[in-house]
Amino acid sequence: GIRAAAERASVLTRELLAYSGGQFTGRERLDLGAELRRQAPRIRQAAGSRVSVIVQLPDGPTRVIGDRAQLAEMVLALARHAQRR
């Protein structure tokens, strides 16, 4: 729990810095499938118990270029939206 809270605080700090113009967002090569698998527990938690989250991904890597933290926040925002609807 402490590690997860520290990670969320780190993400929030990076987002605030990026929003304020104080830091360039970190674009890097990512395996989208691996990131979504890693985030699956947080996605399920954000979606709540009334929403079923099924992660179906290709077997091979799905390469994208992006910001790891922004990707995680975008997917979590979608899960939270599903929970509210």
Side-chain angles (χ1 to χ4, degrees), residues 22-78:
Q23 176 181 336
F24 177 73
T25 58
R27 290 181 176 229
E28 59 185 298
R29 299 184 103 200
L30 302 170
D31 179 348
L32 183 59
E35 289 299 317
L36 291 174
R37 281 184 194 90
R38 190 173 71 82
Q39 291 293 329
R42 289 183 65 202
I43 295 167
R44 286 186 176 93
Q45 182 181 12
S49 60
R50 297 183 330 168
V51 176
S52 295
V53 176
I54 301 169
V55 180
Q56 291 182 321
L57 302 165
D59 292 332
T62 307
R63 305 278 184 217
V64 297
I65 296 175
D67 184 295
R68 184 183 314 268
Q70 287 183 352
L71 171 66
E73 284 305 309
M74 177 192 69
V75 173
L76 290 173
L78 289 171

